[in-house]
Structures are given as C-alpha cells and as structure tokens.
C-alpha cells in the first residue's frame, strides 16, 4: 500500500496493514500524520495532518529521549520507533524487510540499505524507482525545495535515493566528465553549523585515504547554501541485493567477498577509523568483482566525539544534532545512543555506541558472512529491541546446521567473529584475514601461486594482445613522423623560415589532433588530466593563454609565416586524426578480446579472495618485457606506476622498457597543480564552515575568522600528513585501539591549539609566503614571464620585417621578388653589417629580443617566483651585456646556460 506524507509529499509503502486509525511518522520530515484504513478492501487509505496539540503529543517521546544521557539499556531503542498499529503492520520507509528473508526485519531509517551505490541511504526498491523517475524531470531537496541542475562543478542527472541525511543524486563531474554519487545534506542538518563543521572534518579526513576496497570520497563543498559531498560511483550492486536475488551464496564465494571487505576495513582500522554500520547493504560489488566498503568516514569516529573548548567560549548549542552523522539521525535511528543496523549490531554497541572499538566491526562483518552463507541473519525479530536482545543473550546457530555444505572449520571462524564478548573475538581484522585466507588456501604468508590454467590464460591473452594487427606498425610510424619533422625543421630553419614554420605547424597540429581525437574516443589518462587542468584554470590563466596566442599570431603575421602556419595546421590535423583512426582505433578494437579475457581472469581471482597486489604481481610476473602497455590497459595508469615502483626494488624490474614514459613527468606536473588548487579550494570551504561553527558557539566574528583560518590550516596539514603516510606504505601492525586513541588525541590537540591560537606553524609560513603571493608575487610569477617573452618575440619579428639590411639582402640579383629568409641570412647580415643594423623599435639591437623572448617564454611555462631568480638575470645578460662588453654569442650562450640551470633548480618541489 503506497501513500504520501501530507506534510512533505514523501512516498512510503505499508505492508499488511489492518483496518484502523494510526499515526505513523514520516522518515523524511520527522512529523507524524493521520492514517485511516477502511474495512472495505477497495477503499483508498486516508491521510491527514494532525492538529497541533495531537502533533505535540505524538512527538513527545522523541524530545524526551534527546535529553537523556548515552544509552545504557537496549529498551531505549524503542523511543524513536513509530508505534506499530498491529503486530503485522510494518512501515517500510522506517522498518524495511530484511534483504535476505521474507519476515519483517527492523532496520534503522538512517541506515536503510543502499541500492546500486552503496554510499547513500535509500528507501525500498519501489520507492527508489519512483524517486529516480521523478528526479529525472525535477530534482528536489530532502525538504521538498527545488535544487539547481548544476551544483558546484557537478551536473545533477537523477535522484538515486533518500535517507535521513539527505538525498543522493547521480551526477556528472564536469571537470573529469565522470559519474559520481553526489549527496546533499538535508536542510535541517545543514542549518546547524556545529554539525556541519564536525561532519565536514570527518568526511574530509576520510577523503584523504584511498583503498581499492573502500568507496572513495572525492570532494566536499557548498553552493547556494547547499552543502554536498561527492563519492565514487560504484556500478554494480550491494551484497544485500546479491543475496536477495540468489539466496545463500557458495561458501568460497561468500568468504571471498567478505575477505575483500575485511581488507578495506582493516585499512581503515589501521588509520584510527571505525565504521560502526557494516552490513551487506554497505558492501558494494562492482562489475570488476571488487567489493567496496561504503559509508566509511560518514559515520561516527572516536576522535570527533569530543570538542575542545577555548576558554571564554560559549558552549555549543545542544538543541541541534550531535557530533556526527549518528547524532544527526538521532530522531530516526536510536535517540543518539547507537549507530548501526540491529540485525548486524554488536551487543556492546547497543549499550554504548560511542565507546565501541574496531571489534564491533568484526562482529558486524561476521553477521554479514553469516547472511551470505545461510541466506538469513543470525537473529530475527518483530522489533529492533527483540533483535538486539537476542544478539546480547541468545547463542548463534552454527551455519553448518542451516546449510550442510558449510564446513565446521568455516563455522568456527564465523562463530569467533560473532562472539558476544569483544575479548573472545578475533582481536584485529588482520587475524580475520589470515583465518579466511587460510580457509581459501591463499595464505598471505607466501606469494600467490597461480594454477597452470590461469597462467596459460594470461599468456594467451598477452600473445593475442601483442600480435594484434597494426601493433608493430604504430610505433615505427609515430617515431618516423617525429624524426622526419624534426629533421626537416632544423634544415629549413637555416634555409627558409617559411618552410620551417610550415613544418612546425604541421607537426604540432598533427600531435594535437592525434591526442584530442584519441583522448576523446578512448578517454586516455593524459587527456582526462589535461581536460581537468584546463577546466580548473583561473581567469588570469586564460587571459595569459589568449594573450600568448594573439601575440603568436602577430609574430606569424609580421614574419610572413601566417599562411604557411595555416596550411601546416590543416594538413597536420588531417594527418594526426587519420593516424589515430586508421591505426590506433582498429588496434584498440582488435585488442578488446584479450583484454576481456584478462578482465575475466582477474575478476575470478578477486572473487576467490586473492589480494589485489598479488593479482597484479601475477600479471607482471608472467608477462614479457612489454608488460606495461598490457598492464595499463587492464588495471589503469596509477596501478601501473605502483607496480613499476615495486618492481624497481626487485630483480623483476630490471631492463624492462617503460611504456610512454614521457607522460609521467607531465602528469605529475598536472597532478601537482590540481592538488594545490584543490587544497586551496578545500581550505576555503573548511575555513567558511569552521567560522560559521565558531560564530554559532558565541565567538566574536573577528576572532572566529582568525581561529577558522588556523583550524583550516591545521586540518589541511593533517590531511597532507595522512596522504604522505599512506604513500610511504601501510601502517605498522599496531593495535587499532592504540592507533585510534593516538589519532583522536592528535586531532583534539590540533583543534584545541588552533582555537587557542597556539597553532601557528602554517600561519607563520603563510605570512612569510604572503610577501611573494601578493603584487610582488604576481610580478615574479610565470604569467608575467610568459607574456614578456611573447612580446619580445613579437619585437624580434618586427625587427626581421623592418630591418633595412635584411630587406636589401632579400632582393637577390635585382629581382623584385622577395625570397624566403632563413637563419643563414640573419647571421650573415648580423656579422657583416652588425654596426649598421637598424630596427623599428629603439633600444634593441640584432637578435637579442628573440633570444630573451625564447628564454622567458620557456621559463614562463613554470609557475612560482623561484624561476624568476634565473629568468630575469638571464634576460639582462642577453639584452644589456652585448652592448657593454660585446661578445654577443658569449652573452647569448651564458644567458641560455643560466636558463637551463633555472629549469633544473628553479622549479617548485611540486613541479
């Protein structure tokens, strides 16, 4: 039975409702309404708004629960569950049926199982379909307000689901042209600056950590008063959906899925983070067979439960949400007492959610494995209280009793994971991983040993990949074109600049056409990086590029190169596009079959529980010296870099050629630029959020702004440290409780120091850096160097056009036809009649503007003020010294040498 809330229009499904009058609670607007079910089965249900007095009476239970301290007894969980009209009546929007059983199984509304995303709260499948269809035409916020089609750098496509936190949309990230899951924080929570600040810190910290078994958080932001964050879009289904479709799974398959989830959770535990809501609906299985843990970092973490206060500050408001997502969903979950789903919740979590540690995740993961093996959760009941009570008191039925093909050894692993007392369970997920790997026969103590059939399949795929038609033709054609173009350019440079301009334009346009056509059709790594880099440029950057382009056209016009340049661009575009469409595109199509075979083999190994690094090492080990292209096509560019780095430390990496290694430096440069801009954008967002938080706590605006700057700096520094530690390697095998305590203490101290003004590390550096980031910094920056170099080259071109000696030399044998000039003509004129050389621009003599222009133009491609320490002295040497001491070539050579030194020493570390 489908109805809509009369207050906000939210859709809900009711099952097995008996006739009568009821007052259910809408999970969206948190208000109760009247529902009347007639005795006539053909009569439609009637919904109505409750009078103000009745509404206040109906809502009296929840506010009373808010004022109580942390829960100490499971009976308090019933405080937020709407009164059931009968034992057979279940409101699906609040208590959905279990995904693995037909009997009603209560779940918390804030943790409703996601559908294909796994990183958002959703309603029933029927409601999801209705919402998605509706969202295609008119997306709306959780409070019913219309939202824009674009939000920040994202275009909203359709609604995927709703929950207590807000709505989640499928969106397109414009800068990278990729699909993401964009979650909007519900207005009632977004209006509370204390909650927004704490939630933002939590999500920002989680976004710094990346693991292939964890759903990645990409970005956080605010646009038009709407707070949002974007996450990885997982194209696939949850393990809950899998069990719902197929029932219980094969034991080895189930263990393989849980093993992958355990690795993702272990990664989080080693970095001081606890999930607190592990269940099949939060474990996503993508199309490549990878299980990803969703909602990690979007739930309570211990380090954010306490908020350090600055002396003299007002206490935070207590009328709004608490310190995390769990508190934000208190009304529809467990009265700010517990965070989780009762069917998978550890016994101690029902008593004190804030005090649980990583072992509660082990219990929940054990319940998840139980569901995958048996098709049902360990305990079921008609209410949340009943299920929680059974978790605390009743023994778990051994899985082998329910499913005969489950071995006693596997049952023992499951039972130890779901032991009532935390001390009786596995103490770390590392122990769980070892036990599960032992069951599958892929113990991590030694390297993965593939079977003969697996090796044969890999080698066959590699042979088919390398022997594809045109595979041997592509490399020689590209190298031959580059060599021929470079040779012709050098020769023509001394004979005819007209011809040199044509060849240069042809080569550059051919490379650009090849890159653009191939990148657009294949979405190559370099193309996506370049695209995101261009879209992230500031207005000043675009003005610099446009100005440089206009000056280039002026140079071509003054030098008489415009026509050959246009001809070269036209021919080069055809050559570049033709090369890709006639060679690379057919080659890529021919290689789809072996890559599909590789994908199938890798997916099988993943489902069996083989660790990702072991799979990649297996592919590298049994590939030949040209492994990089094959590996990159199968696993991606970033994975290839990591594999290459690990190989350089072993004998396997010796004398193996690299595939298109010229891209590496360019991609690192682009990544560094994008990382700096993202850090600055996130810093501004964090500063704004923290400032609103401090103002809400009674801090004066000026002081709030100062403290918010320090808080943003501290959070950014902590994020940088987290990324560096992750890049350095896995965390040491330390007790996760110790790691969590250390992380909590460090972050609390960091926040306290920032609020009290003691945190000044980045602040002092920022003050010093401000000297070179203001007008002086702009004057010493790359944009000024670039534009100055382009202008000097234009002056040099003007000199070439107006110099009377060159004009006389251009008329050979009294002919009135001007012949094409080359470098030999310039040098001959300069050395024979240098003292008589005239120019249309006073103050410049001979080729000095051209030399200096090239130096400044090249060094202007690199940002930062350091390069100016080499660029401007080099320019002075080339422009001034020839007129003072003579020895022009020596001066030009010295200036060029100083510029080369600048290229080596003047770049910033990120470049």
């Amino acid at each position: 039975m489908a109805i809509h809330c009369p207050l906000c229009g939210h859709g809900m499904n009711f099952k097995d409702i008996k006739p009568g009058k009821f007052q259910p609670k809408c999970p969206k607007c948190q208000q109760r309404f009247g529902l009347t079910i007639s005795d006539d089965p053909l009569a439609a249900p009637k919904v109505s708004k409750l009078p103000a007095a009745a509404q206040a009476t109906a809502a009296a239970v929840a506010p009373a629960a808010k004022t109580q301290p942390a829960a100490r007894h499971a009976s308090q969980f019933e405080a937020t569950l709407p009164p059931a009209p009968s034992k057979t009546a279940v409101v699906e929007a609040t208590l959905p049926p279990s995904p693995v059983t037909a009997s009603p199984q209560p779940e918390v509304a804030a943790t409703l199982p996601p559908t294909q995303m796994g990183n958002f709260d959703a309603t029933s499948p029927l409601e999801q379909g209705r919402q998605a269809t509706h969202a295609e035409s008119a997306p709306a916020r959780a409070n019913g307000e219309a939202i824009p089609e674009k939000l920040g750098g994202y275009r909203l496509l359709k609604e995927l689901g709703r929950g207590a936190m807000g709505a989640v949309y499928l969106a397109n990230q414009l800068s990278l042209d990729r699909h993401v899951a964009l979650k909007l924080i519900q207005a009632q929570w977004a209006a509370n600056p204390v909650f927004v600040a704490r939630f933002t810190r939590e999500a920002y910290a989680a976004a710094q950590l990346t693991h292939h078994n964890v759903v990645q958080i990409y970005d956080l932001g605010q646009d038009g008063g709407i707070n949002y964050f974007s996450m990885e879009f997982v194209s696939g289904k949850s393990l809950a959906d899998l069990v719902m479709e197929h029932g219980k799974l094969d034991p080895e398959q189930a263990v393989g899925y849980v093993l992958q989830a355990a690795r993702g959770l272990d990664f989080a535990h080693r970095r001081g983070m606890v999930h607190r809501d592990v269940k099949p609906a939060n474990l996503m299985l993508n199309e490549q067979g990878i299980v990803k843990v969703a909602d990690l970092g979007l739930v309570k973490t211990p380090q954010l439960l306490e908020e350090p206060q600055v002396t003299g500050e007002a206490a935070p408001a207590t009328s709004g949400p608490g310190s995390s997502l769990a508190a934000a969903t208190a009304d529809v979950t467990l009265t700010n007492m517990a965070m989780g789903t009762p069917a998978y919740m550890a016994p101690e979590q029902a008593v004190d959610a804030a005090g649980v540690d990583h072992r509660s995740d082990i219990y929940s993961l054990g319940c998840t494995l139980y569901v995958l093996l048996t098709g049902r959760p360990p305990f079921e009941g008609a209410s949340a209280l009943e299920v929680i009570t059974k978790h605390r008191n009743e023994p778990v039925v051994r899985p082998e009793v329910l499913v005969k093909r489950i071995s006693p050894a596997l049952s023992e692993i499951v039972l130890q994971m779901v032991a009532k007392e935390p001390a009786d369970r596995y103490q770390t997920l590392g122990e769980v991983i070892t036990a599960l790997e032992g069951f599958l026969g892929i113990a991590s103590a030694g390297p993965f040993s593939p079977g003969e059939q697996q090796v044969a399949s890999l080698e066959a795929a590699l042979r088919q990949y390398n022997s594809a038609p045109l595979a041997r033709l592509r490399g020689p054609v590209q190298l031959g074109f580059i060599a021929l173009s470079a040779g012709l350019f050098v020769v023509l440079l001394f004979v005819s600049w007209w011809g040199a301009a044509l060849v240069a334009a042809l080569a550059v346009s051919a490379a650009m056409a090849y890159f653009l056509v191939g990148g657009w059709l294949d979405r190559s790594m370099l193309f996506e990086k370049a695209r995101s880099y261009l879209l992230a440029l500031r207005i000043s950057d675009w003005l610099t590029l446009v100005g440089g382009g206009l000056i280039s056209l002026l140079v071509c016009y003054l030098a008489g190169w415009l026509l050959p340049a246009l001809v070269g661009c036209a021919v080069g575009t055809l050559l570049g596009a033709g090369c890709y469409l006639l060679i690379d595109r057919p080659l890529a199509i021919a290689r789809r079959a072996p890559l599909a075979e590789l994908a199938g083999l890798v997916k099988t190994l993943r489902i069996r529980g083989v660790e990702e690094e072991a799979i990649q090492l297996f592919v590298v080990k049994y590939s030949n010296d040209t492994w990089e292209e094959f590996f990159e096509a199968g696993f991606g560019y970033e994975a290839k870099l990591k594999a290459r780095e690990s190989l350089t430390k072993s004998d396997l990496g010796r004398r193996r050629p690299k595939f298109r290694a010229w891209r590496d430096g360019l991609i690192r440069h682009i990544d560094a630029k994008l990382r700096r801009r993202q850090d600055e954008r996130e810093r501004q967002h964090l500063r704004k959020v923290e400032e609103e938080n401090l103002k809400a706590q009674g801090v004066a605006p000026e002081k709030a702004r100062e403290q918010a700057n320090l808080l943003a700096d501290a959070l950014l520094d902590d994020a940088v440290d987290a990324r560096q530690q992750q890049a350095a390697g896995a965390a040491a095998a330390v007790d996760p409780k110790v790691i969590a305590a250390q992380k909590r203490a460090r972050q609390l101290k960091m926040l306290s120091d920032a609020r009290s003004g003691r945190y000044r590390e980045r602040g002092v550096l920022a003050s010093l850096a401000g000297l070179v980031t203001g007008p002086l910094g702009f004057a010493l920056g790359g944009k000024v160097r670039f534009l100055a170099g382009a202008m000097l080259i234009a002056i040099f071109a003007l000199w070439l056009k107006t110099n009377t000696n060159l004009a006389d030399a251009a008329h050979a044998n009294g002919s009135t036809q001007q012949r094409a000039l080359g470098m030999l003509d310039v040098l001959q004129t300069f050395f024979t009649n240098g003292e008589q050389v005239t120019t249309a621009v006073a103050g410049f003599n001979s080729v000095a503007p051209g030399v200096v222009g090239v130096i400044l133009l090249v060094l202007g491609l690199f940002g930062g003020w350091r390069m100016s320490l080499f660029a401007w002295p080099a320019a002075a040497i080339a422009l001034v010294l020839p007129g003072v001491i003579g020895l022009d070539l020596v001066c030009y050579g010295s200036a060029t040498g100083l510029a080369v030194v600048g290229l080596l020493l003047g770049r910033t570390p990120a470049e």
Side-chain angles (χ1 to χ4, degrees):
M1 181 183 298
I3 66 168
H4 291 81
C5 175
L7 301 172
C8 68
H10 180 63
M12 294 167 282
N13 285 322
F14 287 74
K15 294 175 63 178
D16 303 326
I17 302 295
K18 291 184 177 181
K21 295 183 178 181
F22 313 101
Q23 295 180 357
K25 183 179 180 181
C26 175
K28 176 182 172 183
C29 66
Q30 304 301 304
Q31 300 297 320
R32 297 193 183 278
F33 59 91
L35 173 63
T36 303
I37 307 297
S38 174
D39 294 334
D40 184 0
L42 299 180
K46 296 181 180 180
V47 295
S48 61
K49 298 180 181 180
L50 293 178
Q55 185 67 256
T57 302
V61 177
K66 286 183 181 180
T67 61
Q68 297 181 16
R72 298 299 177 187
H73 193 274
S75 62
Q76 298 180 11
F77 283 104
E78 292 187 322
T80 57
L81 297 178
S86 69
K87 291 184 178 180
T88 58
V90 178
V91 183
E92 279 193 346
T94 305
L95 298 178
S98 170
V100 293
T101 180
S103 62
Q105 188 61 232
E107 274 196 354
V108 178
T111 56
L112 294 178
T115 54
Q116 293 186 352
M117 284 306 307
N119 44 19
F120 60 91
D121 306 323
T123 57
S124 64
L126 178 62
E127 177 67 8
Q128 292 161 12
R130 186 194 69 78
Q131 291 172 349
T133 303
H134 172 71
E136 288 281 4
S137 57
R141 293 188 66 180
N143 61 358
E145 298 176 3
I147 63 170
E149 293 184 0
K150 289 181 62 178
L151 198 63
Y154 303 89
R155 182 183 299 279
L156 278 63
L157 303 178
K158 68 177 181 179
E159 184 177 314
L160 295 172
R162 284 183 184 271
M165 269 295 295
V168 177
Y169 295 87
L170 175 65
N172 180 260
Q173 187 176 1
L174 301 177
S175 60
L176 295 176
D177 192 24
R178 66 179 177 184
H179 281 170
V180 300
L182 193 70
K183 186 162 187 173
L184 278 57
I185 300 178
Q186 197 175 97
Q188 67 182 98
W189 311 125
N192 187 313
V194 178
F195 163 73
V196 171
R198 296 178 185 178
F199 179 81
T200 300
R201 292 180 213 145
E202 187 176 359
Y204 180 65
Q208 311 311 314
L209 305 179
T210 57
H211 191 274
H212 60 274
N213 290 126
V214 174
V215 172
Q216 176 69 31
I217 299 175
Y218 290 140
D219 189 24
L220 301 96
Q222 185 184 80
D223 187 13
I226 301 176
N227 290 273
Y228 64 86
F229 58 92
S230 62
M231 299 167 286
E232 176 184 1
F233 177 81
V234 181
S235 180
K237 61 183 66 177
S238 71
L239 296 188
D241 296 330
L242 196 65
V243 175
M244 185 179 293
E245 293 177 8
H246 304 288
K248 53 184 174 292
L249 305 181
D250 177 77
E252 290 193 355
Q253 183 182 19
V255 171
Y257 289 149
V258 170
L259 182 55
Q260 290 192 59
R263 292 181 180 127
L265 289 169
D266 182 57
F267 171 82
H269 289 178
R270 290 174 181 271
R271 286 152 182 84
M273 189 176 296
V274 181
H275 192 290
R276 282 182 171 80
D277 193 22
V278 178
K279 58 184 178 181
N282 276 339
L283 303 180
M284 299 302 300
L285 177 65
N286 70 9
E287 297 174 348
Q288 290 75 43
I290 301 176
V291 173
K292 291 180 175 287
V293 180
D295 279 351
L296 183 62
L298 303 183
V299 294
K300 288 190 298 186
T301 51
Q303 64 270 23
L304 293 177
L305 294 178
E306 294 180 7
E307 185 79 292
Q309 294 295 315
V310 183
T311 303
E313 278 192 17
T318 58
S319 59
S323 63
S324 65
L325 175 59
T329 57
D331 289 343
V332 289
T333 56
L334 305 174
T335 327
N336 199 16
M337 301 169 190
M339 179 66 181
T341 306
Y344 305 93
M345 188 185 297
E348 68 274 13
Q349 191 170 350
V351 178
D352 183 11
V356 300
D357 57 29
H358 63 285
R359 291 173 294 183
S360 67
D361 284 351
I362 295 177
Y363 185 95
S364 299
L365 188 63
C367 293
T368 299
L369 179 55
Y370 193 99
V371 168
L372 300 183
L373 291 172
T374 66
R376 51 173 289 184
F379 301 107
E380 298 176 284
S383 68
L385 174 61
E386 182 180 351
V387 175
I388 292 169
T389 302
K390 289 181 178 181
H391 274 285
R392 296 185 63 186
N393 300 321
E394 295 188 8
V396 177
V397 178
R398 295 180 66 89
E400 67 202 62
V401 175
L402 301 176
V403 181
K404 300 302 181 183
R405 66 175 181 270
I406 297 177
S407 67
L410 181 56
S411 289
E412 288 297 330
I413 295 175
V414 176
L415 291 178
Q416 187 170 352
M417 293 177 69
V418 297
K420 304 293 184 187
E421 295 296 330
D424 296 332
R425 299 172 203 153
Y426 293 103
Q427 294 303 291
T428 65
L429 273 170
E431 297 178 6
V432 175
I433 292 171
T434 300
L436 296 178
E437 287 179 338
F439 171 78
L440 293 175
I442 53 171
S444 57
F448 166 65
S449 299
E452 293 184 4
Q453 183 177 359
Q454 294 166 337
V455 175
S457 298
L458 175 62
E459 292 177 341
L462 180 62
R463 284 195 302 270
Q464 187 179 357
Y465 183 87
N466 289 332
S467 62
L470 304 176
R472 297 181 179 276
L473 180 63
R474 183 182 62 179
V477 167
Q478 294 175 349
L479 291 177
F481 176 78
I482 294 173
L484 180 61
S485 300
L488 283 175
F489 177 77
V490 172
V491 172
L492 292 174
L493 189 64
F494 287 90
V495 177
S496 171
W497 278 0
W498 195 95
L502 188 149
V503 172
L506 186 150
V508 172
S509 60
M512 290 299 299
Y514 178 85
F515 170 72
L516 293 176
V517 173
W520 181 260
L521 294 178
D522 292 342
R523 300 297 179 181
S524 64
M525 168 63 72
L526 184 57
F527 177 83
E528 295 297 336
K529 293 287 187 182
R531 185 175 184 272
S532 59
Y533 176 76
L534 290 176
L535 291 177
L537 290 178
R538 301 183 180 92
I539 296 179
S540 60
D541 298 323
W542 282 109
L543 292 177
T544 301
L545 292 177
V546 172
L550 293 176
I551 293 176
S552 299
L553 290 177
L554 176 63
V555 169
C556 291
Y557 172 76
L558 293 177
W561 304 337
L562 189 58
L563 179 61
L566 294 177
V567 173
C569 287
V571 176
T573 300
L574 294 176
L575 286 177
C579 179
Y580 178 82
L581 295 176
L582 296 178
I583 299 178
D584 288 71
R585 191 62 177 172
L587 179 60
I589 295 174
R591 284 176 164 177
R592 288 177 181 173
L595 289 177
E597 185 175 349
L598 172 65
L601 173 62
V602 169
K603 183 176 181 179
T604 301
L605 294 176
R606 286 169 176 158
I607 294 176
R608 282 189 51 198
V610 181
E611 208 276 330
E612 189 72 15
E613 291 184 2
I615 295 175
Q616 296 179 7
L617 181 60
F618 155 63
V619 174
V620 173
K621 181 178 179 181
Y622 289 92
S623 301
N624 54 30
D625 286 348
T626 59
W627 69 275
E628 285 205 1
E629 183 179 7
F630 181 62
F631 187 95
E632 182 178 337
F635 295 94
Y637 176 80
E638 299 293 342
K640 185 198 72 173
L641 292 183
K642 293 180 180 178
R644 181 198 292 170
E645 183 179 356
S646 62
L647 287 179
T648 56
K649 302 175 182 179
S650 65
D651 293 338
L652 293 176
R654 294 181 179 177
R655 300 178 182 177
R656 292 201 179 198
K658 297 179 179 180
F659 175 65
R660 294 182 178 177
W662 57 268
R663 301 173 300 169
D664 299 344
L666 183 57
I667 290 177
R668 283 196 301 269
H669 177 75
I670 294 176
D671 282 341
K673 293 277 189 181
L674 293 176
R675 181 74 260 178
R676 287 200 301 272
R677 291 175 184 175
Q678 183 175 355
D679 283 345
E680 182 58 30
R681 184 175 66 252
E682 290 173 344
R683 181 186 181 279
Q684 294 301 324
H685 178 61
L686 291 170
R687 182 202 60 77
K688 182 177 180 181
V689 166
E690 294 294 347
E691 184 176 352
E692 294 299 322
N693 174 29
L694 292 169
K695 288 180 180 178
Q697 296 182 30
V699 182
E702 185 176 350
K703 186 177 181 182
R705 189 176 303 109
E706 178 185 356
Q707 292 181 1
N709 281 321
L710 293 176
L711 279 167
D713 290 339
L715 291 170
L716 194 64
D717 288 347
D718 189 66
V720 172
D721 291 341
R723 292 197 297 265
Q724 291 175 348
Q725 291 176 7
Q726 183 177 349
V734 181
D735 185 355
K737 292 179 62 176
V738 176
I739 298 175
Q742 293 174 347
K743 181 178 180 180
R744 181 187 183 190
R746 184 180 70 254
Q747 290 196 350
L748 289 177
K749 183 178 185 303
M750 173 190 69
L751 295 175
S752 178
D753 289 348
R755 288 198 174 185
S756 62
R758 291 192 298 270
Y759 185 86
R760 296 289 181 181
E761 289 84 349
R762 185 179 176 88
V764 172
L765 294 177
S767 299
L768 295 176
L771 297 176
V772 292
T773 56
L776 179 60
F778 178 79
L780 297 176
K783 298 182 181 65
V784 173
R785 293 194 297 269
F786 183 86
L787 291 177
M791 293 179 64
L792 287 173
I793 291 177
I795 292 173
F796 174 64
L798 182 63
W799 176 81
L800 288 178
K801 187 175 182 62
T802 59
N803 186 276
T804 55
N805 288 328
L806 289 178
D808 293 338
H811 295 73
N813 300 322
S815 173
T816 59
Q817 299 295 325
Q818 185 178 16
R819 63 186 176 88
L821 300 178
M823 183 63 73
L824 294 178
D825 300 291
V826 176
L827 294 177
Q828 180 181 5
T829 302
F830 172 67
F831 284 111
T832 56
N833 302 305
E835 67 283 357
Q836 301 176 9
V837 170
T838 61
T839 176
V841 182
F844 288 104
N845 189 20
S846 69
V847 296
V851 175
V852 176
V854 172
I855 291 175
L856 293 179
L857 197 67
V858 172
L859 298 186
L861 297 175
F862 300 91
W865 56 271
R866 297 181 183 179
M867 195 68 73
S868 292
L869 300 179
F870 301 89
W872 296 114
I877 292 175
L879 284 176
V880 177
L881 287 185
V884 176
I885 63 173
L887 303 175
D888 300 56
L889 291 181
V890 174
C891 294
Y892 299 152
S894 301
T896 304
L898 184 58
V900 172
V901 174
L903 289 175
L904 299 176
L905 303 179
R907 292 182 295 177
T908 60
E911 295 175 329

